[in-house]
Amino acid sequence: MKGYDVIGDVHGCYDELCELLDKIGESSERKLIFVGDLIDRGPKQKECVTLVRKLVEQNKALCIMGNHEYNAILKRMNLRLKKDLFALPFCDFVDSDRDFYYDAIEWMKTLPLWLDLPSLGVVHACWNSRLMRILASYLDSERRVKNDSFFVDSSKEASGCTITKIADAAEIILKGSELILPEGEFFVDKDGKKRKEIRYKWWQTVTEDTRYCDIALSVGDAVITDKKLGQIKGWIGKEPPKLIVVGHYWLRSRSPDNVSLEDAAFSDKVFCSDFSCVKQGRLAAIRVDLNSDDSVGGVSVESVASREF
Ligand SMILES: [Mn+2]
C-alpha cells in the first residue's frame, strides 16, 4: 500500500537502522521520512549520515532537520545557541575526518525544517502554524533554508525583537515548547533541579478552563499547579490540522519487545517516532498508509531493538 514510513531519531544507531529498513522493505509506492537527529550520542554517526544522504539523493527518502543538526550547523558557523548546552560530538569530525565533516554540514543546511505533505505533517518537535509563518520568509517552497542568514538571525549573536522571535520559533519547532508557571510555582525534575517552566502538550486544544496540570509534559511524578492558564499567551496552539509525526521526545515503549500504536500516540492525530534507540530503547518507524485519494488509510508502528553498545 502506498504511504510513508517515518523513522525516529537515529542518533548514530546504524546497525539498528539497517535492520529496521530490512524489516520495512523497499517499495516504489512508499517513501521513507527521517525526522532528524541522525547524529550525536551513538556509535556510527558517519554511516548514518552517509546512508540517509544516499537515500535522499536516490529519491527514496526525505529527511528534515533535527535540533542536533541545527546545533552542529551553528557550531560550525561559530554561532552560539540561544541556550548554551552540552558538547556536540559530531563536531569532533572536524579533527578526525575533516572532508566528511564540512561536506556533511553543508548537506545538513539543505534539510527542510518541516514537511507539509497533503495528508501528513512532519516536524522534529513541535507543529505550530503561527511559528511556521514567522520562519517562512527564510525558507524556499520546500521549507529548506534559503541562505545562512537564518542561522545567524536565530542564534544568540542576533538581537532585537524580530530576531528574538525567529530564535524562539526555531527553538520551539526543533526542540519543543515551554510554558512559564505562575509566580511562585515550580516543580522538581528527575535530576532534582527546581524548574519554573514546563514542557507542555502543544497538540492539545486549550480553552479558558485548561489548567497547567492538564497540559504539563515530561514532568514525571511531580505535582503541577491546578491553576488555570487564564489568558492564553505565547505560542500555545490549537489541535493540528492534519496527521502529524514528530521525533525528539525519548519515549519508552511499555513492552521492551515492541512499540505499540498506543505507545506512539500523543493524540489521535499526533504520533511520536522516537523510542530512545540510543538509550537501549527501540528504533521505530511510524507507518502511514494512504488511500488512492491520498487520505490516511491507517497508521501502524514497526520497530527493532537497540543493540547494546
Ligand atoms: Mn531531538
Side-chain angles (χ1 to χ4, degrees):
M1 193 171 194
K2 71 170 178 169
Y4 301 106
D5 298 309
V6 189
I7 298 180
D9 306 36
V10 178
H11 282 307
C13 296
Y14 178 75
D15 297 336
E16 292 88 340
L17 176 56
C18 292
E19 192 186 334
L20 182 63
L21 292 177
D22 273 353
K23 230 172 161 176
I24 288 173
E26 226 181 278
S27 158
S28 56
E29 294 228 281
R30 299 186 74 89
K31 193 153 249 177
L32 298 166
I33 298 178
F34 291 87
V35 298
D37 280 7
L38 302 175
I39 60 167
D40 291 335
R41 297 200 166 107
K44 295 184 180 174
Q45 302 180 66
K46 181 177 176 177
E47 289 83 346
C48 289
V49 170
T50 306
L51 173 61
V52 173
R53 187 173 175 175
K54 192 180 88 185
L55 291 168
V56 170
E57 283 162 3
Q58 290 172 341
N59 212 20
K60 291 176 182 166
L62 297 164
C63 178
I64 61 169
M65 197 182 291
N67 55 311
H68 283 256
E69 285 82 20
Y70 172 76
N71 292 348
I73 294 165
L74 260 65
K75 172 113 175 169
R76 161 76 184 103
M77 294 174 70
N78 293 315
L79 296 165
R80 287 174 305 157
L81 303 168
K82 192 175 154 230
K83 285 184 191 164
D84 289 318
L85 36 91
F86 56 87
L88 301 166
F90 186 78
C91 296
D92 294 345
F93 281 112
V94 71
D95 298 318
S96 61
D97 200 338
R98 221 177 169 75
D99 289 347
F100 163 72
Y101 172 73
Y102 288 133
D103 199 37
I105 294 282
E106 288 311 308
W107 176 70
M108 288 174 198
K109 285 183 180 177
T110 70
L111 298 176
L113 294 196
W114 69 89
L115 297 174
D116 194 356
L117 303 163
S119 302
L120 172 68
V122 184
V123 65
H124 188 67
C126 176
W127 188 274
N128 183 307
S129 6
R130 264 172 79 195
L131 299 177
M132 288 166 169
R133 275 196 293 278
I134 290 175
L135 295 168
S137 65
Y138 289 89
L139 308 176
D140 69 14
S141 59
E142 289 174 63
R143 283 104 194 165
R144 291 175 305 208
V145 174
K146 281 193 275 199
N147 55 52
D148 285 353
S149 66
F150 164 73
F151 299 107
V152 177
D153 290 354
S154 66
S155 74
K156 213 175 183 176
E157 269 68 12
S159 60
C161 182
T162 323
I163 301 306
T164 305
K165 269 189 178 176
I166 288 148
D168 285 347
E171 169 120 346
I172 292 171
I173 295 283
L174 296 172
K175 303 175 193 178
S177 191
E178 288 186 340
L179 186 65
I180 300 167
L181 291 167
E183 188 67 37
E185 296 283 350
F186 65 91
F187 80 98
V188 178
D189 73 12
K190 61 180 182 342
D191 301 322
K193 211 177 147 196
K194 217 168 150 174
R195 293 188 176 271
K196 292 181 179 170
E197 293 176 345
I198 48 167
R199 279 186 170 183
Y200 67 87
K201 299 169 183 171
W202 50 264
W203 54 87
Q204 210 164 289
T205 304
V206 171
T207 69
E208 55 189 16
D209 291 326
T210 304
R211 303 164 303 170
Y212 286 88
C213 58
D214 297 326
I215 60 162
L217 172 67
S218 310
V219 295
D221 297 330
V223 177
I224 302 297
T225 177
D226 62 0
K227 284 182 188 154
K228 289 180 183 176
L229 297 184
Q231 202 188 355
I232 296 159
K233 46 190 182 290
W235 304 118
I236 293 192
K238 293 190 170 69
E239 194 183 346
K242 59 171 81 170
L243 185 73
I244 303 292
V245 180
V246 298
H248 189 64
Y249 291 99
W250 297 101
L251 300 188
R252 286 272 166 193
S253 54
R254 275 153 229 179
S255 156
D257 302 325
N258 75 310
V259 175
S260 69
L261 196 58
E262 204 188 347
D263 291 327
F266 278 155
S267 74
D268 55 5
K269 264 193 187 155
V270 181
F271 292 84
C272 179
S273 57
D274 178 21
F275 282 84
S276 313
C277 185
V278 77
K279 278 189 190 166
Q280 282 76 49
R282 297 182 70 83
L283 185 65
I286 307 293
R287 311 200 69 184
V288 180
D289 296 332
L290 295 178
N291 299 317
S292 52
D293 65 352
D294 275 345
S295 61
V296 175
V299 182
S300 57
V301 191
E302 187 61 89
S303 68
V304 299
S306 164
R307 300 179 186 191
E308 302 288 325
F309 48 80

